[in-house]
Each structure stands twice: as structure tokens, then as C-alpha cells.
Amino acid sequence: MSQSYDRGLVEDFGRWRDFSAGMWAWVFHKFTGWVLIGYLFTHIAVLSTAIPAAGGTGGIYTTTLQGLEELVIVRILEVGLLAVAVFHILNGVRLLFVDLGVGLTAQDKSFYASLVLTGAIVVASVPTFLTGAF
Amino acid sequence: MADHYSSFSRHSTGWLLQRLTAVFLIGVLAFHFMLLHFVNHAYEITFMGTQARMQEPGYLLTMVAFLVTAAFHGINGVYNALVNQGLEGTQRVVVKYGLAIAGVLLVAQGIRVAMAMTGTTIL
Amino acid sequence: MHEHDVIVVGAGGAGLRAAIAAQEEGADVALVSKLHPVRSHTGAAEGGINAALRDGDSWEDHAYDTMKGSDYLGDAPAIETLCQDSPEETIQLEHWGMAFSRDDDGRVSQRPFGGLSFPRTTYAGAETGHHLLHTMYEQVVKRGIRVYDEHYVMQLAVTDHEDPEDRRCRGAVAYDIKTGEVNGFVANNGVILATGGPGQMYDHTTNAVANTGDGPAMAYRAGVPLEDMEFIQFHPTTLPSTGVLITEGVRGEGGILYNKEGERFMFEHGYANNVGELASRDVVARAELDEINAGRGFEDDYVLLDMRHLGEERITDRLENIIHLSEDFEGVNPLEEPMPVKPGQHYAMGGIETDENGETCISGLYAAGECACVSVHGGNRLGGNALPELIVFGARAGRHAAHREKGESQIKTGPSAKTEDGVVDTPVTPGEVRSDGNVAADGGSKTASDGGALLDAPANEVVNRAVERERARVERLMERDGTNHAEIRSDLQKTMTANVNVFREEEGLKQALRDIRDCRERYLDVAVSDPSRTFNTDLIHTIETRNLIDLAEALTLGALAREEFRGAHWRAEFQERRDEEWLKHTMVAWNEGRPELYFTDVILEGENKEYEPKIRSY
Amino acid sequence: MSTQIQEQETEEQADEQPGEAVPAQQQRRMEQKREQAAEDDRQREAVESSLDGQETRTLKVFRYDPEVEGKKDPRFDEFVVPYRKGMTVLDALMWARDTYDSSLTFRHSCRQAICGSDALFINGSQRLGCKTQLSELSNPVRVEPLPHQEVVKDLVVDMQHFYDQMDAVEPFFKEEDVPDGLEEQRQSRENREKVKMSTRCIWCGACMSSCNIAAGDNEYLGPAAINKAYRFAMDEREGEALKQERLNILEQENGVWRCQTQFSCTNVCPKDIPLTEHIQELKREAVKNNLKFW
Ligand SMILES: Cc1cc2nc3c(=O)[nH]c(=O)nc-3n(C[C@H](O)[C@H](O)[C@H](O)COP(=O)(O)OP(=O)(O)OC[C@H]3O[C@@H](n4cnc5c(N)ncnc54)[C@H](O)[C@@H]3O)c2cc1C
Ligand code: HEM
Ligand code: SF4
Ligand code: F3S
Ligand code: FES
């Protein structure tokens, strides 16, 4: 909404500190959604190396992918992607329940549960993801 | 009431499809992750392996469906997010078609890639 | 300058109903209110609406109960109109979608209430007023009635005839709170005042901060007498810090009152040996104050109301909202501690004198709701009788002002209804401090300071003049330096609470008159310190304080004059009802700045019966 | 009351310089007010020091006035107020206004959470001033006007947009086919229970202010208006055809679909209305309703 002056200037505290569970869930879901769609685009771009590879033995495709996979940064990003995807899924499930009108009063708890579960799953899969990266 | 017979004229469609695609995606995305990161490791990926999987018609179809739903879900999601922030008028029309075109290109390219993976090159 | 057929001042239950009625009669109506309509205090009413709807009940019974409750100071034509019209008006609300509580058969629920011979209090949970207010506002939106919200009406535009009964009300002047503009409102047909209660005269009240009696004060200064102002209802159980009402239901369910000594004083000190806490409102209120005055109150201020023994289950089942009220507004969890309570001002039975069509003695000026006194409540209002008053007399005033319903009225108004002069011995002269004839400065009487008296002048000329005066008044208040009104208001409230409360003694009443006089004198140099034109609440409150002073004075004069105990009015020196002498209405008229006291007859002659004053006992 | 002497003064002044009367007066006033300011500060210190030894709370209150020099740029003022048990934020604001600065502006009326006037942003959350105990809050207590609404002055925001959104859902009972005379429409207890919570809205605007979607998109109906529509759509006294009409309004672009289930509206509602639940139920109603025609 338009404001005749900038209210931000006089606010000595950031509003985000005061966000409640539902708002954080919304922010995270949005963020993760955008990351995922962004990833989908890059993913397809990378996989496009399969097209020139199709005729031959798949050299370009394999080298591109394995080359990328050798980079530590890519591995770490992959873990990040996992975290993002897992959170988006779990919170997505939470939202689907909310849409069905189930468990509305526990919406904050289910959000915290999504966070905790995401954390757990990500930690658990770190070994698999980082195998051979270092 | 009388003047609408199809849900397509309604804003509920987008909302409903977003949820339905989400339900589908839960399954496939989990499957995808399991298969490519835990069963087969990403760093071991080779074209051969990919080709082997993709030549399975069921798998191919699933992956294409995955692509289409994810593209719809993601792009519709982005569009909604923008509209929720008050995107209006021409800007909105531009964004809408921009996103739609991007989505179509994504899916087209994705299908080309998928076909290539089976070994057939199209276009 | 705005122009409409009917201008309704105030958008609580009475104002909204009036506007709808006038609109239905084809008039172009505008609501002018200092609050947005849904913020009106009608929303606070909890209990319900009395209406004889069921088999076995009749309007006659309702009328009998009301007359008895009024301690025979109500006027029969008014009471009978109320009871006859209430069923229809109540069902009208249902037809407009009001969310009444329901019985198993799907009909609206009714419950018993104090002083009623039949359970006829129709309710919507414990928030009847909220639903009533919102339902009617919805209808106003539906009809597209023009609402000027956050417009503070400062003065009425009335012609200058010598005799108030010849005067005509041509409109009103309002201050647009948001922009600071002073605007005229021309009313082609009439102005209806529906400004609600004057609870802010007291420092402890169940009324809202906006309930400052502006309507009665404006009408009073325009020449309409105020009727039976000394009758103020005090509620025995209000929270000490805010005045929030704790419903009688708590005592009904078995709540106990006790004092600092831990005594259940209602019994132990013999205030009501049979019914104890369940005695009527005035008895319990007096008992509480007796205890506090005898030094047996807590912090010399309150007693305790304990309901813990009822058990959590029963409390949450029947009195759930009390837990919230007590926690939210007093910080006390009533499941763990007793609640502090004390008597608080609750309702004004008196107000602007009107007939049963809501018309005052000034033609084109109407009043309805708590600000008016048709007289249905007489000396004491029964619970659940105020909401029907809003809809019944609101609708009648609206229709009448739209000039469709021109029935003769049985109740006579104005100075010509006088039957007896009043004499009262006052320690100071009441009224204007400087009686130099020019009182326009503060809301003005009839004197035309600028160009002669306006008698048959066109409406907009009368309104224009009023606008000029009000502009000058605002300018003056804004630009000069002086006292802040808040101190004056607070002193006024203190003296009213100390001296014109539940207990009234001659000396105390006289002291109050002295203090009111003092407030008046100090008000001479009142000034607004906020220099802004935008949303200047300081200015609004300053003007309101003036209105409170005028009303407090009229009230105290009435209380000093009435030497008997009737209804809510108790006098230490005269602890009995004295029908031979006092079966009459007290009138106070602002006679060019000098309050004049006189009396009129009470009408006990009903449609088909005469009401015999009996002893009021339950 | 007569204040004739003063009145004559102003009239004379006005006669002397009719054109400039207003600015001149204003100047004079401003000067005086400036002179006063110093004195006010002293007074204020006096009051504050008289509170020594008492339990106090500090309010940090947002101040803004487009017209007044020094308040054009928003700032926070601090007020020290004596504390007593049971004291609410509104009590504290009133005390500060009546004691320190009568220009401190905020809406309030009922003091009992029923008029909906005093929804404020208190310590980072939308709450009613009158329903918020100081004892629940950390000190100092920060009081601001509702976010996402235009500030008129100090704590007063412009509510017009909120009212417009309410009006947009046709917030009134529309059934015309009602029984004659003294016959009421029947409504089951269950149905009354179903709409009960939704009828409790006091139009305070807290929910709307807390919703990020409503903040970003001015057209979104917002939780309160949707809840209002729910109140009628679910009321069995209005027939099916009317329910359909109501769903048509709610289903528009800016209706229920905008809601992203943030739950902040439900969290802040002082009347504990399950807003998100109502909105979600309407979304499902709308979907069901459309599937019927598929
Ligand atoms: C806590 C409580 C509980 C109650 N419970 C019951 C009950 O159960 N049953 C019952 O029958 N009665 C009850 N009453 C009494 C009843 O609610 C009131 O008498 C009634 O609501 C008054 O309505 P009104 O329309 O006259 O005034 P209000 O609803 O007070 O409306 C006054 C209107 O006038 C406007 N206004 C005032 N001054 C000005 C001005 N200068 N310029 C412009 N506008 C102005 C205000 O903005 C407001 O819109 C209760 C009262 C209280 C306080
Ligand atoms: C795997 C299961 C998934 C589930 C359960 C899921 C669930 C959801 C749901 C319910 C929403 C709607 C939120 C709302 O409108 O309130 C949403 C939004 C979104 N999703 Fe997903 N999703 C999943 C996968 C994906 C994938 C794979 C992508 C990327 C391609 C994606 C991208 C998005 C985007 C961009 C949004 C919009 C976010 C926003 O509001 O800004 N989602 N998701
Ligand atoms: S829904 Fe709740 S928060 Fe929103 S306006 Fe109504 S009462 Fe206030
Ligand atoms: S905060 Fe807003 S997003 Fe929906 S749940 Fe409430 S309306
Ligand atoms: S003052 Fe009425 S809601 Fe707070």
C-alpha cells in the first residue's frame, strides 16, 4: 500500500522478528518453490547435453555430469537442493492438509515438525551426497 | 449461475490444479530423489545408465509427466506469487504469457532431452 | 453544506433504526456519527431484548412489569407503545438476519430476566447488542444510506423564537474529525438525536468513552427540557479498573460477594436476609458501598465476587466469557482468585423529553434511544428494556421525521406541559457563569449576536449562522492558551461519583453543585493544545467536557430537588417513596443560560387500564 | 459558556487584516506553543520524577502528523506511566495523553473489546489496546499504528480501504422470502453454532493488517470480508441461490484464492475467529460447486 512517507525509517526493529509460524512457513515455501523451479530450468539445460550425446557414446553428457559432480560446491549445492525440496514437500503436505481443513489448530506445530524433519533427513543423507566429493 | 458450465472459467481451476499436481509431485519427486541419489549415485551417472533407464517406456512416461506437472506447478506457483504481490494490468499480461512461453519451451526442450536419452533425436 | 431530508445524529441502535425507517418512508436520510456506526456502544449490550412473542405472554404483561419496574414514574402511553411494538420490531431484526440464539424447534430463544413475569428476553448469546448493531448497520449498507462517519455534531441549528415550542430545528453543524472542517447539514424534514448515554459524567462507568451525552446537552441548550435526569442506574458488579460489566449471571449461578473481613455481607450485615447476592441491582450496589464506606472494602474501593466454588466445569459451561473479561480487563483469573467488583454507572433513565413519536417540543427535532426520555423507564430500567426502546422509538422517530406518520401524541412536551414550578435551594447559582446573553460561543442558545433573531429565515440561513458560530468557537479554542479540559473532566467525574452516586445526601449534592460551578468557571479558560486540524481528539474531548458539565448540573439539580427514594434515586434524608408529592417528572430547562426546574404529570392512564402505584417488591 | 472578551479580540483581529487573519493567528499560536514546549518539558520531568519509587512502564509511541512541524517526520515518543495491576495498553495511552500530551491521538471507545476502535501494532503484533494487559508485554512497550494502512495521525490509520472491502462482499442478509408478521424464520441450533464464530467480528482490521497478501495486493478482499461473506453463505436462512451468488463473489480473482494460509489473521484476531479455517472451507465449497458443473 502506498504511504505518504517511509514508515520503515522509524521502525527501529525489523518486522520479521515478529513473524509467526504461519508466516515463516509461507516465506520458506515461497523461497523453496522458486529455488525448485529455478533448478528445474537449469536441470533441463544441463541434461540437454544428452542431445549431442545421443548419437554417440554419450561422452559429453557423461563428462559434463561427472565433471559437475566432482566439484565440491556442486555437491554442497545438491545438499541444499535436497533440503529445499524436502522442506517444500513436507510443508506442501502440511498445506494440503490445511486445504482439506485438517489440523488447522496445529498448523504451527506441523510447520515446526516440517522443519525438524527436513533437518533430520538432510543430515541423514549428507554421507550419501558427499561420498567421494573430497 | 447459468452462464458457466465449465470449471475452466473459474479461478478455482488454477488453485485446484496446483494442489493436484502437488499430490502427484510428492510421489514422483521422492521417487526421483531416491533413484538418482540413493539407489544410483549422482556422481556415478553415465549416459549409458541414463539410457538404460529411459528406454523403459513406463519410466520415460513417468519422467515426462513429472516434467509437465513440475513445470505447470512451478510456473503457476510463480505466477500466483507475483499476482499476490499485486501484479496488475499490462505487466501482468506480459508476465503471464512470458511465463507460459517459458513453460512451453521448458517442456519442449525437456521432451527433446528425454527422447535423446532414449537414443532418438528429434528436431 | 450538505442537505438531506432527515439527519440522524448518532449511529447506535436507535440511530440506525431511525435512518432505516425514514428511508423506507421515502426520505433522503443521512447518518452523522462521531464514531463509525459499528463502534457505537450498543455493541456492548449483553443480555437481550424484551418482547412478548410467545403464547402465554402478552404485551399487557410486559407493560405491567415495566411500569412496576419504573416505580410508577413511566408514562403509560410510552410503555404501552414500547410493549406493543417490540415483538414486531424484534422479529423484524430476525428477518434481517440477526443471529439470535435458537431453541430446538428453530425459533428464537428467550430467557428470564430480573423483574419480568415471563421469560421474554430474546437474546443472541451474551452479545445481543453486538448482533443488533451489526444487523442494522448491514441494512443501512444494503439500502445505501449515506453515512458521514467520524463527524462530530457540535450544535443544532434552531430558530430564535422566544418560546421553545415555536422554534424549529433546521439542521445541525458537524466537525469532520479527519479533516477538521466545520460543515453545515440542512435537514429539510427533521433532525433525530440518537447519541446514546452520558456515562462519562462518572469516573466509573460501563459506558464507552464516547458516551458523553452530546445529544441531550445540545437539545438542552436549544431549549428542550431534560426529563428525570436524576435517575441513574448503577450496576453492582463492574470491574474496578475499567468499569467492564460482570453479568448478573455470576450471582445468578451462585457467586458470592464478600468484604475484607471475609464476611458474606449481604447476609451477615443484613442487607438482604432472604436472597442475599440475588437482591435487585440497587440494593446490592448500596450494600457494597456501605461496606466500602465502613472501611470493609479492599483498598477502600471494591469488594470481591467469588465464583471459584462453582467449579471450573460449570463456569466454563455457563460463564465462559466472564473468565475472559476478568483476565483481559482486570488481569485476574476468576478460576483462581475472586474478582474485584464495585458499583458503576450503567444507564441513564432520563434524557431529552420527547413524546411517543420521538418528537421534542422544538418542531423538527427528535430524539430516540438512551439519550431520550419518552419515559418508559421512569425511576428504574428493567434489564432488557433498553434495546427494544432503541428499535421501537428509533423506528417511530424515523417514520415521523420523514413526515409520513402524523399521529397525534398523547404525551405533551415542552414548557406548556408544566404543572408545577420547582424550587430548590442551591448553594451556588447554576447555569452560565457570565450571563451576558451571548452564549453562542459554547454551543449557543437562541440569541442572534450577528444580525438579529432568525425566525422564519430559510433553513440554510439558520444553518449557516450556526456554522459561523461553531467555526469561531473552534478557532478560539484552538488558538488560545489555557487549561486542559482533562483535569476539569476528571474533577467533574470525581465529584459526581463521590456525591451523586448510589447514595445521595443533601450536603453531598450541594457540594457537587459547588464543584460543578467550579468546573464551569475553569472551563472559561479551557484551550486545546493540539494545534493540528487533522483528527484533533483534544478538541472533540474539550467540547464534550462542556456537555458533561451541563448535564451533570441538570442531574444534580434534579437529585437535590427530588426528596424521596424512588427507583434508582435514593436520598439519605428521605428513604421512602412519596407518591402524594413526588409522582411527577422532574424537568430542567435551559432558560437563556439559567436552568429552570419544573414538574409535569406522570401519565398512569393506559389504553384500557389505569396503573395503580404499588409497592415495588420482588 | 460565555467567553465574550476573547471573542471580541479575535473578531477585531479578523477585521484589521482579513486576508492574513488565519496565517497570523497560526503564527502566533505556533510561537506560543513553542514557548510552551519548554515549560511542558519541565512539567513532564516533574511528573516523571514524582513517579520515582513507583512501579512504572515505558511506552514508545509512534507519532506523526502531516500538519505539525516536528511531527511531519515520524518519530517515537517515550512516556513513562505508573503501573497498576490489571492495567491495559489503552489505559496507559489514556494516562499518557491526559497527563503529558493531549495531542496524542488514537481511536478508542468501549474499553471492552467490542467496538473494534483500537487495533494497534503493539510490540510487533496486531492487538486491541484495551484487551492487552501491560503485564503480558516486555518493557518498553512499543505502540505503532496498524501496518499496511495509511497513517492519518499518530496511531490513527485510514480504515476506508477496510470498509470498502467489507462492502464488496454485500455484507447484508439478502433473503427476501421471509414469513409474514410475527413468524420468525427457523434456523437449527447447529446452523447457528456453525456461523456463530463468524458473527463475532468487530471490524477492527487487525487481521487485514497482519496479512502479507492483503498488504501486497490492495484488491484482495482480506480475511475479515471473506469471513463476513462466510457468515451469510453458511447461514441456512439464505437459500441456495443466494449462496451461489455469494460464492460467485468470493470466487473472483481477488477472493478466496489469494489467501496463502499464512494464519497470521487467525493468530491476531481478538475475537478468536478461525479465519483461515473459514477461508479454506469456502475454497473447498467453491471447488465442489464448480465440479458439479463439470
Ligand atoms: C455494558 C452494557 C450492557 C447493556 N446490556 C443491555 C441489555 O442486555 N439489554 C438492554 O436492553 N440494554 C442493555 N444496555 C443498555 C443499552 O445497550 C443502551 O442503552 C443502548 O445501546 C444505547 O443505544 P443508543 O443507540 O441510544 O446509543 P449508542 O449505541 O451509544 O450510540 C450513540 C451514537 O451516537 C453517536 N454520537 C454521540 N455523540 C455524537 C455527536 N456529538 N455527534 C455525532 N454522533 C454522536 C455515536 O457515534 C454513536 O454512534 C447495556 C448497556 C451497557 C453499557
Ligand atoms: C513434491 C511435492 C510438492 C508439493 C507437495 C508441493 C506443494 C506445493 C503447494 C501446495 C503449493 C501452493 C502453495 C500455495 O499456493 O499456498 C506450492 C507452490 C509452489 N511450488 Fe510446489 N510442491 C511440490 C513440488 C514442487 C516442485 C518440484 C517445484 C518446482 C518445479 C515446485 C515449485 C513451486 C512453486 C514455484 C510454488 C509457488 C511458491 C510461491 O507461492 O511463491 N513445487 N507447492
Ligand atoms: S476478523 Fe477478527 S481481526 Fe479481523 S476485523 Fe474481525 S475481529 Fe478484527
Ligand atoms: S493472513 Fe492472509 S494469507 Fe490467508 S490465512 Fe490469513 S488471509
Ligand atoms: S476500545 Fe473498543 S475495542 Fe478497544
Side-chain angles (χ1 to χ4, degrees):
Chain A
M1 198 167 190
S2 69
Q3 198 72 246
S4 43
Y5 57 86
D6 182 4
R7 245 165 101 177
L9 289 178
V10 290
E11 282 165 5
D12 46 354
F13 299 83
R15 281 243 149 76
W16 59 269
R17 281 169 200 272
D18 304 315
F19 275 18
S20 55
M23 258 152 126
W24 281 121
W26 174 73
V27 170
F28 288 175
H29 198 80
K30 212 172 241 285
F31 173 74
T32 52
W34 284 70
V35 169
L36 285 176
I37 185 69
Y39 175 73
L40 185 60
F41 274 94
T42 33
H43 195 46
I44 295 294
V46 170
L47 295 183
S48 294
T49 50
I51 295 172
T57 53
I60 304 191
Y61 178 77
T62 314
T63 40
T64 315
L65 286 189
Q66 291 197 343
L68 281 172
E69 287 294 329
E70 269 159 25
L71 298 173
V72 176
I73 180 75
V74 170
R75 293 302 192 86
I76 291 172
L77 281 177
E78 251 176 13
V79 176
L81 181 69
L82 177 77
V84 160
V86 171
F87 175 80
H88 193 89
I89 295 180
L90 292 177
N91 192 57
V93 172
R94 168 180 166 274
L95 288 177
L96 289 172
F97 276 113
V98 167
D99 287 331
L100 292 173
V102 178
L104 290 176
T105 43
Q107 59 90 11
D108 40 355
K109 289 184 204 76
S110 57
F111 166 64
Y112 299 133
S114 315
L115 280 182
V116 171
L117 257 173
T118 306
I121 292 177
V122 169
V123 169
S125 26
V126 164
T128 331
F129 271 78
L130 296 187
T131 316
F134 297 101
Chain B
M1 195 164 86
D3 50 51
H4 94 99
Y5 294 100
S6 145
S7 73
F8 283 104
S9 60
R10 289 292 160 143
H11 298 280
S12 62
T13 320
W15 183 83
L16 186 61
L17 285 177
Q18 185 76 2
R19 321 283 122 173
L20 293 177
T21 49
V23 173
F24 178 73
L25 285 169
I26 300 174
V28 225
L29 189 61
F31 167 71
H32 182 69
F33 255 104
M34 288 310 279
L35 192 70
L36 292 180
H37 290 275
F38 294 92
V39 180
N40 305 293
H41 294 292
Y43 49 88
E44 290 162 2
I45 281 183
T46 58
F47 187 69
M48 298 288 277
T50 304
Q51 201 172 26
R53 281 193 294 274
M54 287 306 259
Q55 271 161 354
E56 190 78 46
Y59 184 77
L60 173 71
L61 279 179
T62 313
M63 285 302 110
V64 171
F66 180 23
L67 174 68
V68 174
T69 41
F72 174 84
H73 180 94
I75 286 176
N76 188 46
V78 165
Y79 175 66
N80 272 333
L82 293 173
V83 169
N84 282 335
Q85 290 313 308
L87 191 66
E88 285 287 345
T90 2
Q91 266 190 341
R92 178 154 157 184
V93 176
V94 171
V95 168
K96 183 172 178 172
Y97 288 103
L99 282 174
I101 291 167
V104 169
L105 289 178
L106 179 70
V107 171
Q109 176 68 4
I111 290 176
R112 268 182 74 201
V113 170
M115 293 316 285
M117 285 175 173
T118 63
T120 22
T121 338
I122 40 172
L123 297 181
Chain C
M1 183 86 78
H2 305 280
E3 187 178 333
H4 296 274
D5 293 344
V6 176
I7 304 286
V8 182
V9 181
L16 294 169
R17 187 65 190 89
I20 295 169
Q23 203 254 2
E24 280 180 345
E25 294 297 328
D28 159 31
V29 195
L31 278 158
V32 187
S33 176
K34 68 177 171 184
L35 304 173
H36 182 278
V38 301
R39 322 248 174 256
S40 304
H41 205 53
T42 294
E46 296 168 11
I49 312 170
N50 295 340
L53 292 173
R54 295 281 182 268
D55 291 344
D57 195 7
S58 68
W59 71 259
E60 286 91 348
D61 289 352
H62 184 188
Y64 177 80
D65 293 342
T66 306
M67 184 56 101
K68 181 175 164 198
S70 80
D71 229 352
Y72 301 93
L73 202 69
D75 284 332
I79 291 179
E80 295 191 342
T81 305
L82 176 86
C83 303
Q84 283 166 342
D85 288 8
S86 175
E88 194 186 320
E89 286 293 337
T90 306
I91 293 300
Q92 175 66 264
L93 290 171
E94 199 284 333
H95 288 174
W96 285 336
M98 181 165 158
F100 283 107
S101 294
R102 298 284 164 165
D103 285 345
D104 286 333
D105 61 0
R107 300 185 70 185
V108 295
S109 302
Q110 296 196 302
R111 63 179 157 211
F113 234 58
L116 297 182
S117 55
F118 189 91
R120 68 170 75 88
T121 306
T122 322
Y123 64 98
E127 45 217 17
T128 314
H130 166 79
H131 292 300
L132 175 132
L133 181 69
H134 282 257
T135 302
M136 282 202 282
Y137 177 62
E138 285 157 20
Q139 291 300 312
V140 162
V141 173
K142 180 176 182 189
R143 283 147 220 263
I145 293 173
R146 182 73 203 260
V147 180
Y148 298 88
D149 70 328
E150 299 193 331
H151 277 64
Y152 178 82
V153 175
M154 323 167 70
Q155 198 197 350
L156 297 168
V158 174
T159 58
D160 298 326
H161 299 83
E162 185 61 36
D163 181 352
E165 291 178 37
D166 295 334
R167 291 179 199 162
R168 254 191 96 178
C169 179
R170 307 312 298 261
V173 184
Y175 177 88
D176 181 340
I177 300 177
K178 190 172 167 194
T179 64
E181 262 170 57
V182 177
N183 280 318
F185 285 80
V186 174
N188 296 328
N189 295 3
V191 173
I192 302 174
L193 295 172
T195 58
Q200 288 297 318
M201 270 189 277
Y202 290 83
D203 66 1
H204 191 75
T205 171
T206 62
N207 282 197
V209 177
N211 286 8
T212 51
D214 300 333
M218 287 187 289
Y220 179 48
R221 290 193 298 261
V224 184
L226 297 179
E227 181 174 352
D228 293 336
M229 288 293 287
E230 65 272 28
F231 293 98
I232 295 285
Q233 186 168 75
F234 294 87
H235 200 287
T237 53
T238 67
L239 296 175
S241 59
T242 42
V244 168
L245 190 91
I246 296 299
T247 172
E248 249 161 78
V250 174
R251 283 170 291 137
E253 294 291 334
I256 293 174
L257 287 167
Y258 64 84
N259 63 17
K260 197 164 73 179
E261 252 84 89
E263 296 163 314
R264 193 170 174 185
F265 58 85
M266 290 306 294
F267 289 106
E268 289 180 43
H269 288 276
Y271 296 107
N273 288 321
N274 297 326
V275 284
E277 283 83 5
L278 291 173
S280 72
R281 283 181 186 177
D282 48 334
V283 174
V284 181
R286 278 191 290 273
E288 289 175 1
L289 283 185
D290 269 336
E291 290 300 303
I292 294 164
N293 292 342
R296 293 193 292 268
F298 294 84
E299 295 174 35
D300 282 336
D301 189 35
Y302 56 85
V303 295
L304 293 179
L305 175 60
D306 195 352
M307 61 173 189
R308 290 171 298 178
H309 57 285
L310 302 178
E312 183 164 350
E313 196 182 324
R314 175 136 159 234
I315 296 174
T316 23
D317 182 41
R318 306 198 193 168
L319 297 164
E320 194 194 337
N321 72 323
I322 299 303
I323 305 177
H324 299 310
L325 290 176
S326 173
E327 281 191 327
D328 293 341
F329 302 111
E330 197 66 49
V332 168
N333 178 352
L335 297 174
E336 287 164 10
E337 303 171 67
M339 295 175 280
V341 292
K342 70 178 197 182
Q345 191 278 351
H346 183 49
Y347 186 87
M349 269 72 76
I352 305 168
E353 184 205 32
T354 71
D355 63 22
E356 66 273 29
N357 295 319
E359 189 158 18
T360 68
C361 64
I362 294 184
S363 82
L365 182 62
Y366 299 76
E370 191 173 335
C371 71
C373 180
V374 208
S375 178
V376 287
H377 309 306
N380 176 51
R381 174 183 71 101
L382 291 184
N385 257 355
L387 296 180
E389 179 191 12
L390 306 183
I391 49 182
V392 167
F393 293 103
R396 290 176 77 91
R399 262 177 241 138
H400 201 75
H403 280 288
R404 295 298 140 87
E405 194 180 279
K406 266 287 175 196
E408 259 303 292
S409 62
Q410 281 169 274
I411 300 174
K412 296 284 163 268
T413 56
S416 63
K418 180 199 297 188
T419 48
E420 200 185 315
D421 282 323
V423 258
V424 56
D425 174 26
T426 57
V428 284
T429 333
E432 283 302 342
V433 178
R434 281 182 219 154
S435 183
D436 45 24
N438 182 2
V439 286
D442 291 291
S445 76
K446 66 192 188 66
T447 322
S449 54
D450 40 10
L454 292 178
L455 300 176
D456 297 317
N460 60 349
E461 220 171 283
V462 180
V463 175
N464 258 332
R465 183 188 57 181
V467 170
E468 291 307 315
R469 281 182 187 167
E470 292 308 297
R471 287 202 177 127
R473 176 183 177 193
V474 168
E475 284 312 316
R476 199 170 36 256
L477 284 173
M478 299 266 298
E479 100 202 4
R480 72 183 179 194
D481 279 315
T483 332
N484 182 270
H485 85 95
E487 281 167 43
I488 302 177
R489 186 186 284 202
S490 145
D491 289 348
L492 179 78
Q493 292 172 336
K494 279 191 197 123
T495 187
M496 291 304 283
T497 306
N499 300 310
V500 202
N501 211 295
V502 175
F503 291 124
R504 297 167 176 184
E505 287 173 50
E506 183 172 336
E507 199 24 59
L509 293 169
K510 288 189 166 159
Q511 184 53 43
L513 283 175
R514 279 183 219 112
D515 293 340
I516 294 168
R517 186 70 186 168
D518 181 53
C519 290
R520 273 197 191 285
E521 277 163 12
R522 280 153 65 205
Y523 192 89
L524 283 180
D525 347 280
V526 82
V528 174
S529 55
D530 184 353
S532 177
R533 300 275 158 182
T534 311
F535 225 95
N536 194 329
T537 49
D538 191 9
L539 173 67
I540 303 292
H541 295 316
T542 303
I543 298 172
E544 288 169 351
T545 296
R546 161 66 206 261
N547 292 339
L548 290 171
I549 296 174
D550 284 351
L551 294 186
E553 186 182 71
L555 190 165
T556 312
L557 284 172
L560 187 58
R562 188 171 286 274
E563 302 188 326
E564 65 163 344
F565 165 31
R566 180 186 299 273
H569 174 69
W570 185 95
R571 282 285 302 267
E573 304 84 6
F574 308 94
Q575 305 195 7
E576 244 158 53
R577 193 171 87 191
R578 297 163 68 199
D579 287 341
E580 337 68 60
E581 241 184 294
W582 287 101
L583 199 54
K584 58 193 179 189
H585 295 297
T586 320
M587 298 286 169
V588 185
W590 182 256
N591 229 336
E592 307 214 7
R594 287 274 154 262
E596 180 200 338
L597 183 79
Y598 66 89
F599 300 102
T600 62
D601 287 339
V602 173
I603 311 175
L604 294 178
E605 193 88 37
E607 204 163 278
N608 31 31
K609 77 168 184 202
E610 163 110 30
Y611 297 83
E612 277 292 327
K614 298 203 184 95
I615 297 296
R616 192 170 66 105
S617 67
Y618 293 104
Chain D
M1 196 154 319
S2 168
T3 42
Q4 216 197 347
I5 298 161
Q6 301 250 0
E7 182 179 39
Q8 278 171 351
E9 260 173 29
T10 48
E11 267 167 16
E12 270 163 30
Q13 263 192 356
D15 285 345
E16 276 162 25
Q17 6 157 258
E20 286 169 335
V22 175
Q25 284 173 6
Q26 244 165 20
Q27 228 166 22
R28 188 164 65 92
R29 197 165 68 227
M30 287 315 302
E31 251 162 55
Q32 282 173 350
K33 304 257 141 121
R34 259 195 296 278
E35 279 163 28
Q36 250 184 332
E39 211 173 293
D40 282 353
D41 281 346
R42 271 196 296 280
Q43 235 171 16
R44 197 169 149 152
E45 275 159 27
V47 177
E48 283 183 11
S49 62
S50 77
L51 295 176
D52 274 355
Q54 284 192 54
E55 200 184 338
T56 60
R57 290 285 188 280
T58 305
L59 297 181
K60 286 182 75 190
V61 185
F62 178 94
R63 305 300 301 273
Y64 166 77
D65 188 326
E67 268 184 69
V68 175
E69 217 47 68
K71 271 175 89 184
K72 278 185 187 148
D73 289 324
R75 59 162 204 255
F76 278 94
D77 278 357
E78 285 197 19
F79 299 104
V80 180
V81 300
Y83 174 79
R84 58 171 168 70
K85 187 171 189 289
M87 194 170 191
T88 63
V89 173
L90 179 65
D91 291 335
L93 282 172
M94 287 166 71
W95 199 89
R97 177 195 63 198
D98 292 344
T99 316
Y100 297 125
D101 181 353
S102 56
S103 71
L104 177 58
T105 307
F106 46 93
R107 288 194 184 97
H108 64 304
S109 185
C110 70
R111 305 163 303 145
Q112 54 187 65
I114 196 69
C115 74
S117 302
D118 62 340
L120 298 166
F121 198 59
I122 301 168
N123 275 5
S125 170
Q126 286 79 0
R127 316 176 205 237
L128 293 182
C130 61
K131 195 176 175 261
T132 308
Q133 291 283 318
L134 283 173
S135 58
E136 289 167 13
L137 303 168
S138 61
N139 202 33
V141 176
R142 197 168 91 251
V143 187
E144 295 167 68
L146 285 182
H148 311 315
Q149 267 144 309
E150 195 89 45
V151 179
V152 175
K153 175 174 167 186
D154 292 353
L155 301 173
V156 175
V157 294
D158 188 352
M159 295 288 285
Q160 196 52 48
H161 177 62
F162 177 82
Y163 297 146
D164 289 347
Q165 299 304 76
M166 289 305 241
D167 286 354
V169 297
E170 305 191 349
F172 39 78
F173 192 71
K174 293 207 280 189
E175 188 59 66
E176 301 281 344
D177 184 19
V178 293
D180 286 335
L182 289 183
E183 217 15 65
E184 66 256 52
Q185 304 167 84
R186 302 297 170 103
Q187 182 183 26
S188 67
R189 273 165 174 276
E190 297 71 48
N191 187 251
R192 202 250 166 196
E193 253 335 276
K194 183 164 180 63
V195 296
K196 186 178 96 183
M197 291 310 279
S198 65
T199 60
R200 292 173 57 175
C201 175
I202 55 172
W203 297 45
C204 69
C207 52
M208 185 90 157
S209 164
S210 77
C211 175
N212 277 351
I213 305 297
D217 177 6
N218 236 342
E219 298 305 311
Y220 173 41
L221 283 178
I226 295 177
N227 174 67
K228 188 85 182 166
Y230 176 96
R231 180 248 170 284
F232 292 108
M234 295 300 168
D235 193 317
E236 67 187 10
R237 288 175 294 169
E238 276 195 348
E240 269 306 308
L242 287 171
K243 179 171 183 179
Q244 193 64 44
E245 268 179 44
R246 296 206 179 269
L247 284 176
N248 288 351
I249 297 176
L250 288 170
E251 266 193 68
Q252 287 164 17
E253 254 306 330
N254 297 307
V256 288
W257 313 118
R258 285 278 160 281
C259 168
Q260 304 286 299
T261 57
Q262 276 187 10
F263 284 95
S264 30
C265 53
T266 308
N267 288 341
V268 300
C269 177
K271 301 311 270 186
D272 298 329
I273 303 173
L275 292 162
T276 315
E277 191 175 325
H278 289 167
I279 300 173
Q280 293 298 83
E281 193 176 339
L282 286 170
K283 286 181 190 165
R284 292 196 299 277
E285 282 288 315
V287 170
K288 267 193 263 171
N289 185 41
N290 289 334
L291 287 180
K292 268 201 304 229
F293 294 91
W294 222 357

